[in-house]
Amino acid sequence: MFAVAGCGGSPKAAPGSSPTGSQAKIGVVSYLTGGGAAYGEAIRQGIELARDEINAAGKVKIELIFEDSKGEKNEAINAVNKLIHKDNVVGIIGPTLSGEMFAVGPITAQAGVPIMGTSITAEGITEIGDTIFRNSLPESLAIPHAVKKAKEKFGLKKVAIMYSNNNDFAVSGFKTFEQSVKANGMEILTIETFADKDTDYSAQLTKIASLKPDAVMVAGLYQEAALILKKAREIGIAVPFVGNNGFNSPQLIKSAGKAADGSIVASPWFPGKDDPKVKQFIAAYKAKYNKEPDQFAAQSYDAMHIIALALEKAGTTNDRKKLKENLATIKDFHGVTGNFAFDAKRNPAMDATVLVVKDGQFTELK
């Protein structure tokens, strides 16, 4: 449909073509198969539901092209290059993991293609380039909320920290946990590491149990977090666990079962919010997919609507530069995750709710 311009140029429609009535091609890079596929599936479903609503409204028509990153940086790079140079997308949603965005961000920035992270929370993401946006709340904002609330609620004085040391997202989360714990005047008894795809946490948790912390802070993805919770409860660690964004999935509860109770996490998404838009979204999602939406579905749903709004304001379906410029101007967007605006660095300016798992459900920690 158009040629790809290098070094930040924007593609133009072919001679004689018109954006009126045409579809905007949006690429989606998501973690659809592998250990973190529950994240990617929720993201895909949220985007598809939003696309159906947008297309039905008729102001903008969206065509989605999905690519599976499998949670691997090289797969994400291949997917982004295909979407940019073969599929000629006007913009991209994804990828799922922060490490993937660090790998693909420079590629999209050089090509001038706006890319929107809906689950990317590590520090430094939007500094990669001015085409990079996210509507997912950075760990630097979410974790301090959770740590402060947990301290106030449970009178925490001494804690242990665990994190995955081969995951960019978890390493970033650990650094924020460490800063937040110190800022709240708590003592760190020990810092224990693990790796993505580890299955045995006995050594780390036995050591933690011997130190008798008031809480354990964990930065990792849900599959490892669930195993940590199960082992911790098994050996008698009954204290609260404060998690990073990886805890924000019903899959954590499904995998950990009763062991997930007492897990605390901050999220802009709270399904119990008294908001007609939230209730409408939950009903539509359940009708389409026969399950409850999670934070990842909600954020991707909002992201698709934000991109559609920017395309509508830009008056184009294929001009990447105009899409980027109009995305940056989005303010006062009321989505299912709350009131949203991009700040000067293309990060979300919004509030978070601190949640706790109780009887197998995320509820507000009050």
Side-chain angles (χ1 to χ4, degrees):
M1 187 165 67
F2 44 71
V4 176
C7 301
S10 72
K12 301 298 181 184
S17 71
S18 167
T20 304
S22 63
Q23 291 187 320
K25 286 186 181 180
I26 302 295
V28 182
V29 181
S30 197
Y31 192 164
L32 297 172
T33 57
Y39 296 129
E41 180 186 26
I43 289 167
R44 176 180 62 80
Q45 291 171 343
I47 292 170
E48 287 180 334
L49 180 59
R51 175 210 51 201
D52 293 347
E53 293 175 358
I54 292 159
N55 288 350
K59 292 180 180 179
V60 179
K61 295 290 185 179
I62 302 293
E63 175 189 350
L64 296 175
I65 303 172
F66 285 92
E67 297 292 335
D68 182 9
S69 73
K70 303 181 178 72
E72 302 290 341
K73 292 178 184 179
N74 286 338
E75 294 284 349
I77 289 169
N78 292 337
V80 162
N81 277 319
K82 173 185 176 289
L83 291 168
I84 293 172
H85 301 298
K86 182 179 178 182
D87 298 314
N88 296 324
V89 296
V90 67
I92 297 173
I93 298 175
T96 304
L97 304 178
S98 294
E100 295 174 318
M101 184 66 97
F102 282 121
V104 306
I107 298 169
T108 62
Q110 184 178 15
V113 178
I115 184 167
M116 170 91 82
T118 71
S119 56
I120 306 296
T121 56
E123 287 300 287
I125 289 292
T126 61
E127 282 85 344
I128 297 169
D130 68 359
T131 61
I132 298 167
F133 297 77
R134 61 175 160 187
N135 73 321
S136 45
L137 203 64
E139 300 279 43
S140 61
L141 298 177
I143 287 175
H145 277 294
V147 171
K148 185 173 185 292
K149 189 74 173 180
K151 182 197 175 185
E152 293 171 352
K153 178 71 175 178
F154 299 105
L156 307 181
K157 294 179 180 178
K158 51 186 182 177
V159 303
I161 302 178
M162 297 181 67
Y163 75 98
S164 174
N165 61 4
N166 70 336
N167 183 311
D168 294 330
F169 146 81
V171 172
S172 176
F174 156 66
K175 291 176 182 176
T176 304
F177 267 125
E178 188 177 35
Q179 292 166 0
S180 300
V181 167
K182 290 177 179 177
N184 280 277
M186 292 182 279
E187 179 188 356
I188 300 174
L189 297 174
T190 185
I191 296 170
E192 301 296 321
T193 63
F194 56 92
D196 285 2
K197 300 181 181 177
D198 279 357
T199 56
D200 185 2
Y201 303 91
S202 301
Q204 299 97 317
L205 290 168
T206 299
K207 179 179 178 181
I208 288 171
S210 71
L211 296 172
K212 296 182 169 47
D214 299 322
V216 182
M217 315 284 173
V218 179
L221 298 172
Y222 69 75
Q223 54 268 50
E224 289 78 31
L227 293 173
I228 289 169
L229 287 165
K230 288 172 76 172
K231 174 55 72 171
R233 302 315 189 199
E234 180 185 311
I235 65 173
I237 301 175
V239 300
F241 274 67
V242 183
N244 64 338
N245 197 47
F247 277 54
N248 269 319
S249 173
Q251 190 66 38
L252 177 80
I253 300 170
K254 184 177 179 182
S255 299
K258 186 68 177 174
D261 277 14
S263 299
I264 297 164
V265 65
S267 171
W269 165 247
F270 176 45
K273 190 180 293 182
D274 187 17
D275 181 333
K277 197 156 194 172
V278 169
K279 294 175 181 177
Q280 182 182 352
F281 166 64
I282 292 172
Y285 191 93
K286 287 173 69 174
K288 188 172 178 67
Y289 303 112
N290 197 33
K291 61 180 179 180
E292 296 275 349
D294 65 8
Q295 175 196 296
F296 298 94
Q299 287 181 167
S300 65
Y301 173 88
D302 277 353
M304 186 71 263
H305 276 288
I306 290 166
I307 288 173
L309 179 59
L311 286 166
E312 183 186 342
K313 291 175 69 176
T316 184
T317 57
N318 59 11
D319 191 313
R320 295 165 173 172
K321 184 178 179 183
K322 285 185 179 178
L323 173 57
K324 183 196 81 168
E325 291 171 349
N326 281 273
L327 270 174
T329 68
I330 298 294
K331 306 287 182 189
D332 301 320
F333 173 81
H334 181 62
V336 298
T337 57
N339 293 321
F340 176 87
F342 285 114
D343 67 14
K345 293 185 177 180
R346 302 169 308 285
N347 287 309
M350 62 191 311
D351 296 325
T353 301
V354 179
L355 307 175
V356 62
V357 178
K358 184 178 180 181
D359 298 327
Q361 297 289 330
F362 285 110
T363 60
E364 186 172 4
L365 181 63
K366 295 182 178 179

